[in-house]
Coordinates of all heavy atoms in Angstrom, one line a residue:
M4 N 4.3 12.2 15.6 CA 4.2 11.1 14.7 C 5.0 9.9 15.2 O 4.6 8.8 15.0 CB 4.7 11.5 13.3 CG 3.7 12.1 12.4 SD 4.2 12.5 10.7 CE 5.7 11.7 10.4
T5 N 6.2 10.2 15.9 CA 7.0 9.1 16.3 C 6.4 8.3 17.4 O 6.7 7.2 17.7 CB 8.4 9.6 16.7 OG1 8.3 10.5 17.7 CG2 9.1 10.2 15.5
H6 N 5.5 8.9 18.2 CA 4.9 8.2 19.3 C 3.6 7.5 19.0 O 3.1 6.7 19.7 CB 4.6 9.2 20.5 CG 5.9 9.8 21.1 ND1 6.7 9.1 21.8 CD2 6.4 11.0 21.0 CE1 7.7 9.8 22.2 NE2 7.6 11.0 21.7
A7 N 3.0 7.8 17.9 CA 1.8 7.2 17.5 C 2.1 5.8 16.9 O 3.0 5.6 16.2 CB 1.1 8.1 16.4
K8 N 1.2 4.9 17.2 CA 1.3 3.6 16.6 C 0.5 3.6 15.3 O -0.7 3.6 15.3 CB 0.7 2.5 17.5 CG 1.6 2.1 18.7 CD 1.0 0.9 19.4 CE 2.2 0.0 19.7 NZ 1.7 -1.3 20.2
V9 N 1.3 3.6 14.2 CA 0.7 3.7 12.9 C 1.2 2.5 12.1 O 2.3 2.2 12.1 CB 1.1 5.1 12.2 CG1 0.6 5.2 10.8 CG2 0.7 6.2 13.0
A10 N 0.3 2.0 11.3 CA 0.7 0.9 10.4 C 1.8 1.3 9.5 O 1.9 2.5 9.1 CB -0.5 0.4 9.6
P11 N 2.7 0.4 9.2 CA 4.0 0.8 8.5 C 3.8 1.4 7.1 O 4.6 2.2 6.7 CB 4.7 -0.5 8.4 CG 3.8 -1.6 8.8 CD 2.7 -1.0 9.6
F12 N 2.7 1.0 6.4 CA 2.6 1.5 5.1 C 1.7 2.8 5.0 O 1.6 3.4 3.9 CB 1.9 0.4 4.2 CG 1.8 0.7 2.7 CD1 3.0 0.9 2.0 CD2 0.6 0.7 2.1 CE1 2.9 1.2 0.6 CE2 0.5 0.9 0.8 CZ 1.6 1.2 0.0
D13 N 1.1 3.2 6.1 CA 0.2 4.4 6.0 C 0.8 5.6 5.4 O 0.2 6.2 4.5 CB -0.4 4.7 7.4 CG -1.5 3.7 7.8 OD1 -1.9 2.8 7.0 OD2 -1.9 3.7 9.0
Y14 N 1.9 6.1 5.9 CA 2.5 7.3 5.4 C 3.1 7.1 4.0 O 3.0 8.0 3.2 CB 3.6 7.8 6.4 CG 2.9 8.4 7.6 CD1 3.2 7.8 8.9 CD2 2.0 9.4 7.6 CE1 2.7 8.3 10.0 CE2 1.4 9.9 8.8 CZ 1.8 9.3 10.0 OH 1.2 9.8 11.1
E15 N 3.7 5.9 3.8 CA 4.2 5.7 2.4 C 3.0 5.7 1.4 O 3.2 6.2 0.3 CB 4.9 4.3 2.4 CG 5.5 4.0 1.1 CD 6.2 2.6 1.1 OE1 6.4 2.0 2.2 OE2 6.6 2.2 0.0
R16 N 1.9 5.1 1.8 CA 0.7 5.1 0.9 C 0.3 6.6 0.5 O 0.0 6.8 -0.6 CB -0.5 4.4 1.5 CG -1.7 4.4 0.7 CD -2.9 3.8 1.2 NE -2.8 3.3 2.6 CZ -3.6 2.4 3.1 NH1 -4.5 1.8 2.4 NH2 -3.5 2.0 4.3
L17 N 0.3 7.5 1.5 CA 0.0 8.9 1.2 C 0.9 9.4 0.1 O 0.5 10.1 -0.8 CB 0.0 9.7 2.5 CG -1.0 9.4 3.5 CD1 -0.7 10.2 4.8 CD2 -2.4 9.8 3.0
M18 N 2.2 9.1 0.3 CA 3.2 9.6 -0.6 C 3.0 9.0 -2.0 O 3.0 9.7 -3.0 CB 4.6 9.3 -0.1 CG 5.7 9.8 -1.1 SD 7.3 9.1 -0.7 CE 7.0 7.3 -0.9
L19 N 2.8 7.7 -2.1 CA 2.6 7.1 -3.4 C 1.3 7.5 -4.1 O 1.3 7.7 -5.3 CB 2.5 5.5 -3.2 CG 3.8 4.9 -2.7 CD1 3.6 3.4 -2.5 CD2 5.0 5.2 -3.6
D20 N 0.2 7.8 -3.3 CA -1.0 8.3 -3.9 C -0.8 9.7 -4.4 O -1.3 10.0 -5.5 CB -2.1 8.3 -2.8 CG -2.7 6.9 -2.5 OD1 -2.4 6.0 -3.3 OD2 -3.3 6.8 -1.5
L21 N 0.0 10.5 -3.7 CA 0.3 11.8 -4.2 C 1.1 11.8 -5.5 O 0.8 12.5 -6.5 CB 1.1 12.6 -3.2 CG 1.5 14.0 -3.6 CD1 0.3 14.9 -3.8 CD2 2.4 14.6 -2.5
I22 N 2.1 10.9 -5.6 CA 2.9 10.7 -6.8 C 2.0 10.3 -8.0 O 2.0 10.8 -9.1 CB 4.0 9.8 -6.6 CG1 5.0 10.4 -5.6 CG2 4.7 9.4 -7.9 CD1 6.1 9.4 -5.1
L23 N 1.1 9.3 -7.7 CA 0.2 8.8 -8.8 C -0.8 9.9 -9.2 O -1.2 9.9 -10.4 CB -0.6 7.6 -8.3 CG 0.2 6.3 -8.2 CD1 -0.7 5.2 -7.5 CD2 0.7 5.8 -9.5
S24 N -1.2 10.8 -8.4 CA -2.1 11.8 -8.7 C -1.4 12.8 -9.7 O -2.1 13.6 -10.4 CB -2.7 12.5 -7.5 OG -1.7 13.4 -6.9
E25 N -0.1 12.9 -9.7 CA 0.6 13.8 -10.5 C 0.9 13.2 -11.9 O 1.7 13.8 -12.7 CB 1.9 14.2 -9.9 CG 1.7 14.9 -8.5 CD 1.1 16.3 -8.7 OE1 1.4 17.0 -9.7 OE2 0.3 16.6 -7.8
T26 N 0.3 12.1 -12.3 CA 0.5 11.4 -13.5 C 2.0 11.2 -13.8 O 2.6 11.8 -14.7 CB -0.1 12.2 -14.7 OG1 -1.4 12.7 -14.3 CG2 -0.3 11.3 -15.9
P27 N 2.6 10.3 -13.1 CA 4.0 10.0 -13.3 C 4.3 9.2 -14.6 O 3.3 8.7 -15.2 CB 4.4 9.1 -12.1 CG 3.1 8.4 -11.8 CD 2.0 9.4 -12.1
G28 N 5.5 9.0 -15.0 CA 5.9 8.2 -16.1 C 5.5 6.8 -15.9 O 5.2 6.3 -14.8
A29 N 5.4 6.0 -17.0 CA 4.9 4.7 -16.9 C 5.8 3.8 -16.0 O 5.4 2.9 -15.3 CB 4.9 4.1 -18.3
D30 N 7.2 4.0 -16.1 CA 8.1 3.2 -15.3 C 7.9 3.5 -13.8 O 7.9 2.6 -13.0 CB 9.5 3.5 -15.7 CG 9.9 4.9 -15.6 OD1 9.0 5.8 -15.7 OD2 11.1 5.2 -15.5
I31 N 7.6 4.7 -13.4 CA 7.4 5.1 -12.0 C 6.1 4.5 -11.5 O 6.0 3.9 -10.4 CB 7.5 6.6 -11.8 CG1 8.9 7.1 -12.0 CG2 7.0 7.0 -10.4 CD1 9.1 8.6 -12.0
A32 N 5.0 4.7 -12.4 CA 3.7 4.1 -12.0 C 3.8 2.6 -11.8 O 3.2 2.0 -10.9 CB 2.7 4.5 -13.1
A33 N 4.5 1.9 -12.7 CA 4.7 0.5 -12.6 C 5.3 0.1 -11.3 O 4.9 -0.9 -10.6 CB 5.4 -0.1 -13.8
T34 N 6.4 0.8 -10.9 CA 7.1 0.5 -9.7 C 6.1 0.7 -8.5 O 6.1 -0.1 -7.5 CB 8.3 1.4 -9.5 OG1 9.2 1.2 -10.6 CG2 9.1 1.2 -8.2
I35 N 5.3 1.8 -8.5 CA 4.4 2.0 -7.4 C 3.4 0.9 -7.4 O 3.0 0.4 -6.3 CB 3.7 3.4 -7.6 CG1 4.8 4.5 -7.3 CG2 2.5 3.6 -6.7 CD1 4.3 5.9 -7.7
H36 N 2.9 0.5 -8.5 CA 1.8 -0.6 -8.5 C 2.4 -1.9 -8.1 O 1.7 -2.8 -7.6 CB 1.2 -0.7 -9.9 CG 0.2 0.5 -10.1 ND1 -0.9 0.7 -9.4 CD2 0.3 1.5 -11.0 CE1 -1.5 1.8 -9.8 NE2 -0.8 2.3 -10.8
Q37 N 3.7 -2.1 -8.2 CA 4.3 -3.3 -7.6 C 4.5 -3.2 -6.1 O 4.3 -4.2 -5.4 CB 5.7 -3.5 -8.2 CG 5.7 -4.0 -9.6 CD 7.1 -4.2 -10.2 OE1 8.1 -3.6 -9.6 NE2 7.3 -5.0 -11.2
R38 N 4.8 -2.0 -5.6 CA 5.0 -1.8 -4.2 C 3.7 -1.8 -3.4 O 3.6 -2.2 -2.3 CB 5.7 -0.5 -4.0 CG 5.8 0.0 -2.5 CD 6.7 -1.0 -1.7 NE 6.7 -0.6 -0.3 CZ 6.5 -1.4 0.7 NH1 6.2 -2.6 0.5 NH2 6.5 -0.9 1.9
Y39 N 2.6 -1.3 -4.0 CA 1.4 -1.0 -3.3 C 0.8 -2.3 -2.6 O 0.5 -2.3 -1.4 CB 0.3 -0.4 -4.3 CG -0.5 0.6 -3.6 CD1 -0.2 2.0 -3.8 CD2 -1.6 0.3 -2.9 CE1 -1.0 3.0 -3.2 CE2 -2.4 1.3 -2.3 CZ -2.1 2.6 -2.5 OH -2.8 3.6 -1.9
P40 N 0.6 -3.4 -3.3 CA 0.1 -4.6 -2.6 C 1.0 -5.1 -1.5 O 0.5 -5.6 -0.5 CB -0.1 -5.6 -3.7 CG 0.4 -5.1 -5.0 CD 0.8 -3.6 -4.7
Q41 N 2.3 -5.0 -1.7 CA 3.2 -5.4 -0.7 C 3.0 -4.6 0.6 O 3.1 -5.2 1.7 CB 4.7 -5.3 -1.2 CG 5.0 -6.2 -2.3 CD 6.4 -5.8 -3.0 OE1 7.0 -4.8 -2.6 NE2 6.8 -6.6 -3.9
G42 N 2.9 -3.3 0.4 CA 2.6 -2.4 1.6 C 1.3 -2.8 2.3 O 1.3 -2.8 3.5
L43 N 0.3 -3.0 1.5 CA -1.0 -3.4 2.1 C -0.9 -4.7 2.9 O -1.5 -4.9 4.0 CB -2.1 -3.5 1.1 CG -2.4 -2.1 0.4 CD1 -3.4 -2.3 -0.8 CD2 -3.1 -1.2 1.5
I44 N -0.1 -5.6 2.4 CA 0.1 -6.9 3.1 C 0.9 -6.7 4.4 O 0.5 -7.2 5.4 CB 0.9 -7.9 2.2 CG1 0.0 -8.4 1.1 CG2 1.4 -9.1 3.0 CD1 0.7 -9.1 -0.1
E45 N 1.9 -5.8 4.3 CA 2.6 -5.4 5.6 C 1.7 -4.8 6.6 O 1.8 -5.1 7.8 CB 3.8 -4.4 5.2 CG 4.9 -5.0 4.4 CD 5.8 -4.0 3.9 OE1 5.8 -2.8 4.4 OE2 6.6 -4.3 3.0
N46 N 0.8 -3.9 6.1 CA -0.1 -3.3 7.0 C -1.1 -4.3 7.7 O -1.3 -4.3 8.9 CB -1.0 -2.2 6.3 CG -0.4 -0.9 6.4 OD1 0.7 -0.7 6.9 ND2 -1.2 0.1 6.0
A47 N -1.6 -5.2 6.8 CA -2.5 -6.3 7.3 C -1.8 -7.1 8.4 O -2.4 -7.4 9.5 CB -3.0 -7.1 6.2
R48 N -0.6 -7.5 8.1 CA 0.1 -8.3 9.1 C 0.3 -7.6 10.4 O 0.1 -8.1 11.5 CB 1.5 -8.7 8.6 CG 1.5 -9.8 7.6 CD 2.9 -10.3 7.3 NE 2.9 -11.2 6.2 CZ 3.7 -11.2 5.2 NH1 4.7 -10.3 5.2 NH2 3.7 -12.1 4.2
W49 N 0.7 -6.3 10.3 CA 1.0 -5.5 11.5 C -0.3 -5.3 12.3 O -0.3 -5.4 13.5 CB 1.6 -4.1 11.1 CG 2.0 -3.3 12.2 CD1 3.1 -3.3 12.9 CD2 1.2 -2.3 12.9 NE1 3.1 -2.4 13.9 CE2 1.9 -1.7 13.9 CE3 -0.1 -1.7 12.6 CZ2 1.5 -0.7 14.7 CZ3 -0.6 -0.7 13.4 CH2 0.2 -0.2 14.4
L50 N -1.4 -5.0 11.6 CA -2.7 -4.7 12.2 C -3.2 -6.0 12.9 O -3.7 -5.9 14.0 CB -3.7 -4.2 11.2 CG -3.4 -2.8 10.7 CD1 -4.2 -2.6 9.4 CD2 -3.8 -1.8 11.7
R51 N -3.0 -7.1 12.3 CA -3.4 -8.4 12.9 C -2.6 -8.6 14.2 O -3.1 -9.0 15.2 CB -3.2 -9.6 12.0 CG -4.2 -9.6 10.9 CD -4.0 -10.7 9.8 NE -3.6 -12.0 10.4 CZ -3.0 -12.9 9.7 NH1 -2.6 -12.6 8.4 NH2 -2.7 -14.0 10.2
G52 N -1.3 -8.3 14.2 CA -0.5 -8.4 15.4 C -0.9 -7.5 16.5 O -0.8 -7.8 17.7
E53 N -1.5 -6.4 16.1 CA -2.0 -5.4 17.1 C -3.4 -5.7 17.5 O -4.0 -5.0 18.4 CB -2.0 -4.0 16.5 CG -0.6 -3.4 16.2 CD 0.2 -3.1 17.5 OE1 -0.4 -2.5 18.4 OE2 1.3 -3.6 17.6
G54 N -4.0 -6.8 16.9 CA -5.4 -7.1 17.3 C -6.4 -6.3 16.6 O -7.6 -6.3 17.0
K55 N -6.1 -5.6 15.6 CA -7.0 -4.7 14.8 C -7.5 -5.4 13.6 O -7.1 -5.0 12.5 CB -6.3 -3.4 14.5 CG -5.9 -2.6 15.7 CD -5.2 -1.3 15.4 CE -4.8 -0.6 16.7 NZ -4.1 0.6 16.4
F56 N -8.2 -6.5 13.8 CA -8.6 -7.3 12.7 C -9.6 -6.7 11.7 O -9.5 -6.9 10.5 CB -9.3 -8.6 13.3 CG -8.3 -9.4 14.1 CD1 -8.5 -9.4 15.5 CD2 -7.3 -10.1 13.6 CE1 -7.6 -10.1 16.3 CE2 -6.4 -10.9 14.4 CZ -6.6 -10.8 15.7
G57 N -10.5 -5.8 12.2 CA -11.4 -5.1 11.3 C -10.6 -4.2 10.3 O -10.9 -4.2 9.1
R58 N -9.7 -3.5 10.8 CA -8.9 -2.6 9.9 C -8.0 -3.5 9.0 O -7.8 -3.1 7.8 CB -8.0 -1.7 10.7 CG -7.1 -0.9 9.9 CD -7.2 0.6 10.0 NE -6.4 1.2 9.0 CZ -5.1 1.7 9.3 NH1 -4.7 1.6 10.5 NH2 -4.4 2.2 8.3
A59 N -7.5 -4.6 9.4 CA -6.7 -5.5 8.6 C -7.6 -6.0 7.4 O -7.1 -6.1 6.3 CB -6.2 -6.7 9.4
V60 N -8.8 -6.4 7.7 CA -9.7 -6.8 6.6 C -9.9 -5.7 5.6 O -9.9 -5.9 4.4 CB -11.1 -7.2 7.2 CG1 -12.2 -7.4 6.1 CG2 -10.9 -8.5 8.0
T61 N -10.1 -4.4 6.1 CA -10.3 -3.3 5.2 C -9.0 -3.1 4.4 O -9.2 -2.8 3.2 CB -10.5 -2.0 6.1 OG1 -11.7 -2.2 6.9 CG2 -10.7 -0.8 5.2
E62 N -7.8 -3.2 4.9 CA -6.6 -3.1 4.1 C -6.6 -4.1 3.0 O -6.3 -3.8 1.9 CB -5.4 -3.2 5.0 CG -5.1 -2.1 6.0 CD -4.7 -0.8 5.3 OE1 -3.7 -0.8 4.6 OE2 -5.5 0.1 5.4
C63 N -6.9 -5.3 3.3 CA -7.0 -6.4 2.3 C -8.0 -6.1 1.2 O -7.8 -6.3 0.0 CB -7.2 -7.7 2.9 SG -5.9 -8.2 4.0
A64 N -9.2 -5.6 1.7 CA -10.3 -5.3 0.7 C -9.9 -4.2 -0.2 O -10.1 -4.3 -1.4 CB -11.5 -5.0 1.5
V65 N -9.2 -3.2 0.3 CA -8.7 -2.1 -0.6 C -7.7 -2.7 -1.6 O -7.8 -2.3 -2.8 CB -8.1 -1.0 0.3 CG1 -7.2 0.0 -0.6 CG2 -9.1 -0.3 1.1
G66 N -6.8 -3.5 -1.1 CA -5.8 -4.1 -2.0 C -6.5 -5.0 -3.1 O -6.1 -4.9 -4.2
L67 N -7.4 -5.8 -2.7 CA -8.1 -6.7 -3.6 C -8.9 -5.9 -4.6 O -9.1 -6.4 -5.7 CB -8.9 -7.7 -2.9 CG -8.0 -8.8 -2.2 CD1 -8.8 -9.6 -1.2 CD2 -7.3 -9.6 -3.2
W68 N -9.4 -4.8 -4.2 CA -10.2 -3.9 -5.2 C -9.3 -3.5 -6.3 O -9.7 -3.5 -7.5 CB -10.8 -2.7 -4.5 CG -11.6 -1.8 -5.4 CD1 -11.2 -0.7 -5.9 CD2 -12.9 -2.0 -5.8 NE1 -12.1 -0.1 -6.7 CE2 -13.2 -1.0 -6.6 CE3 -13.8 -3.0 -5.6 CZ2 -14.5 -0.8 -7.3 CZ3 -15.1 -2.9 -6.2 CH2 -15.4 -1.8 -7.0
R69 N -8.1 -3.1 -6.0 CA -7.1 -2.7 -7.0 C -6.4 -3.9 -7.7 O -6.0 -3.8 -8.9 CB -6.0 -1.8 -6.4 CG -6.5 -0.4 -6.0 CD -5.4 0.4 -5.5 NE -5.7 1.8 -5.4 CZ -4.9 2.7 -5.0 NH1 -3.7 2.4 -4.7 NH2 -5.3 4.0 -5.0
Y70 N -6.1 -4.9 -6.9 CA -5.3 -6.0 -7.4 C -6.0 -7.3 -7.1 O -5.6 -8.1 -6.2 CB -3.9 -6.0 -6.7 CG -3.2 -4.6 -6.8 CD1 -3.3 -3.7 -5.8 CD2 -2.6 -4.2 -8.0 CE1 -2.7 -2.5 -5.9 CE2 -2.0 -3.0 -8.1 CZ -2.1 -2.1 -7.0 OH -1.5 -0.9 -7.1
P71 N -7.1 -7.7 -7.8 CA -7.9 -8.8 -7.4 C -7.2 -10.2 -7.5 O -7.6 -11.2 -7.0 CB -9.1 -8.7 -8.4 CG -8.6 -7.9 -9.5 CD -7.6 -6.9 -8.9
T72 N -6.1 -10.3 -8.3 CA -5.4 -11.5 -8.4 C -4.3 -11.7 -7.4 O -3.5 -12.7 -7.5 CB -4.8 -11.7 -9.8 OG1 -3.9 -10.6 -10.1 CG2 -5.9 -11.7 -10.9
G73 N -4.1 -10.8 -6.5 CA -3.1 -10.9 -5.5 C -3.3 -11.9 -4.4 O -4.0 -11.7 -3.4
W74 N -2.8 -13.1 -4.6 CA -3.1 -14.3 -3.8 C -2.7 -14.0 -2.3 O -3.3 -14.5 -1.4 CB -2.6 -15.6 -4.3 CG -1.1 -15.7 -4.3 CD1 -0.2 -15.3 -5.3 CD2 -0.2 -16.2 -3.3 NE1 1.1 -15.5 -4.9 CE2 1.1 -16.0 -3.7 CE3 -0.5 -16.7 -2.0 CZ2 2.2 -16.4 -2.9 CZ3 0.6 -17.1 -1.2 CH2 1.9 -17.0 -1.7
R75 N -1.6 -13.3 -2.1 CA -1.1 -13.0 -0.8 C -2.1 -12.1 -0.1 O -2.3 -12.1 1.1 CB 0.3 -12.4 -0.8 CG 1.3 -13.5 -1.3 CD 2.7 -13.0 -1.2 NE 3.0 -12.9 0.2 CZ 4.2 -12.4 0.6 NH1 5.1 -12.0 -0.3 NH2 4.4 -12.3 1.9
L76 N -2.8 -11.2 -0.8 CA -3.8 -10.3 -0.2 C -5.0 -11.2 0.2 O -5.6 -11.0 1.3 CB -4.3 -9.3 -1.2 CG -3.3 -8.1 -1.3 CD1 -3.7 -7.2 -2.5 CD2 -3.4 -7.2 0.0
W77 N -5.4 -12.2 -0.6 CA -6.4 -13.1 -0.3 C -6.1 -13.9 1.0 O -6.9 -14.1 1.9 CB -6.7 -14.1 -1.4 CG -7.5 -13.5 -2.5 CD1 -7.0 -13.1 -3.7 CD2 -8.9 -13.1 -2.5 NE1 -8.1 -12.5 -4.5 CE2 -9.2 -12.5 -3.8 CE3 -9.9 -13.2 -1.6 CZ2 -10.5 -12.1 -4.1 CZ3 -11.2 -12.8 -1.9 CH2 -11.5 -12.2 -3.1
Q78 N -4.8 -14.3 1.1 CA -4.3 -15.0 2.2 C -4.4 -14.2 3.5 O -4.9 -14.7 4.5 CB -2.9 -15.4 2.0 CG -2.2 -16.3 3.0 CD -0.8 -16.6 2.7 OE1 -0.1 -15.8 2.1 NE2 -0.4 -17.8 3.0
Q79 N -4.0 -12.9 3.4 CA -4.1 -12.0 4.6 C -5.6 -11.7 4.9 O -5.9 -11.6 6.1 CB -3.4 -10.7 4.3 CG -1.9 -10.9 4.3 CD -1.3 -11.3 5.6 OE1 -1.7 -10.9 6.6 NE2 -0.4 -12.3 5.5
L80 N -6.4 -11.6 3.9 CA -7.9 -11.4 4.2 C -8.4 -12.6 5.0 O -9.2 -12.3 6.0 CB -8.6 -11.2 2.9 CG -10.1 -11.0 3.0 CD1 -10.5 -9.7 3.7 CD2 -10.8 -11.1 1.6
L81 N -8.1 -13.8 4.6 CA -8.6 -14.9 5.3 C -8.1 -15.0 6.7 O -8.9 -15.2 7.7 CB -8.2 -16.2 4.5 CG -8.7 -17.5 5.2 CD1 -10.2 -17.6 5.2 CD2 -8.1 -18.7 4.4
G82 N -6.8 -14.7 6.9 CA -6.3 -14.7 8.2 C -6.9 -13.6 9.1 O -7.1 -13.8 10.3
S83 N -7.2 -12.5 8.5 CA -7.8 -11.4 9.3 C -9.2 -11.7 9.6 O -9.6 -11.4 10.7 CB -7.7 -10.1 8.4 OG -6.4 -9.7 8.1
A84 N -9.9 -12.3 8.7 CA -11.3 -12.6 8.9 C -11.5 -13.7 10.0 O -12.4 -13.7 10.8 CB -12.0 -13.1 7.7
L85 N -10.5 -14.6 10.1 CA -10.5 -15.6 11.1 C -9.8 -15.2 12.4 O -9.8 -16.0 13.3 CB -9.8 -16.9 10.5 CG -10.5 -17.6 9.3 CD1 -9.6 -18.7 8.8 CD2 -11.8 -18.1 9.8
R86 N -9.4 -13.9 12.4 CA -8.7 -13.4 13.6 C -7.5 -14.1 14.0 O -7.3 -14.4 15.2 CB -9.7 -13.2 14.7 CG -10.9 -12.3 14.4 CD -11.8 -12.2 15.6 NE -12.7 -11.1 15.5 CZ -12.4 -9.9 16.0 NH1 -11.2 -9.7 16.6 NH2 -13.2 -8.9 15.9
L87 N -6.7 -14.5 13.1 CA -5.4 -15.2 13.3 C -4.3 -14.2 13.5 O -4.2 -13.3 12.7 CB -5.1 -16.2 12.2 CG -6.1 -17.3 11.9 CD1 -5.7 -18.0 10.7 CD2 -6.3 -18.2 13.1
R88 N -3.5 -14.3 14.5 CA -2.4 -13.4 14.7 C -1.2 -14.0 14.0 O -0.4 -14.1 13.6 CB -2.1 -13.2 16.2 CG -3.2 -12.3 16.8 CD -2.8 -11.9 18.2 NE -3.9 -11.2 18.7 CZ -3.8 -10.1 19.4 NH1 -2.6 -9.5 19.5 NH2 -4.8 -9.5 19.9

């Protein structure tokens, strides 16, 4: 795992999804839902820096499906679609 180039939020997302699947308390779920879009934005930035624009667009689309009012996700989507590093 340490030698693989993996987007920063990938493993954290797996953990958060597992926690959400266990029906956590409302306070924990709220904290996760605050962190999730931030992590997807981090991934999109990292992927754009690596030149993986298609995957960056996918990260943004996943985020916007869950959080459609996230303006920073829209910003990352536009940058990814325009292939801006």
Side-chain angles (χ1 to χ4, degrees):
M4 275 181 14
T5 59
H6 294 289
K8 281 190 139 189
V9 178
F12 186 62
D13 283 353
Y14 290 118
E15 184 179 348
R16 178 182 5 202
L17 292 172
M18 178 192 64
L19 295 177
D20 287 343
L21 179 65
I22 293 169
L23 285 174
S24 73
E25 298 293 323
T26 317
D30 57 336
I31 293 172
T34 301
I35 290 172
H36 287 295
Q37 285 178 341
R38 172 66 184 128
Y39 221 95
Q41 295 168 354
L43 293 170
I44 290 166
E45 291 169 15
N46 267 10
R48 283 188 190 142
W49 185 85
L50 289 162
R51 285 172 48 201
E53 294 290 313
K55 298 177 181 180
F56 298 104
R58 174 121 188 265
V60 167
T61 302
E62 289 292 296
C63 294
V65 166
L67 289 167
W68 180 259
R69 288 183 167 186
Y70 310 99
T72 60
W74 68 271
R75 293 184 69 186
L76 283 166
W77 284 106
Q78 184 180 37
Q79 289 299 316
L80 177 65
L81 181 61
S83 301
L85 295 175
R86 298 180 160 273
L87 302 174
R88 286 188 186 229

